[in-house]
Amino acid sequence: MTSPSRPPSRPRLAIFVFIAVYPIVTLALYALTPFTEGWTIWQRNLLMVPLIVASMIWVVIPRIHRHFGHLL
């Protein structure tokens, strides 16, 4: 029988998510800017935020838990 695992440290998880998401947001801005010249900021965000959220939910956070779960 395994012992119940402790919940992850939220501050540590936040640091890992920041480290992973910052480059994704930066690259997304550089990639989308040429295609969205003349758009207002809310229009760019409407395009970018779903991409970032999807990458966080299905890529970033699961990988953080898989590879760095022991550090959380």
Side-chain angles (χ1 to χ4, degrees):
M1 184 166 167
T2 62
S3 62
S5 62
R6 61 182 169 81
S9 164
R10 287 183 185 221
R12 284 190 206 143
L13 180 60
I15 290 168
F16 278 103
V17 170
F18 174 82
I19 290 168
V21 171
Y22 180 81
I24 295 170
V25 170
T26 303
L27 289 172
L29 283 170
Y30 277 115
L32 292 176
T33 298
F35 301 105
T36 59
E37 284 187 35
W39 291 21
T40 61
I41 192 73
W42 71 266
Q43 292 169 319
R44 285 184 182 167
N45 285 347
L46 190 61
L47 180 63
M48 188 178 71
V49 168
L51 298 171
I52 302 302
V53 170
S55 72
M56 287 177 63
I57 297 299
W58 284 292
V59 178
V60 172
I61 293 175
R63 287 191 178 167
I64 288 172
H65 282 287
R66 185 178 323 123
H67 297 294
F68 301 106
H70 64 285
L71 298 174
L72 300 176

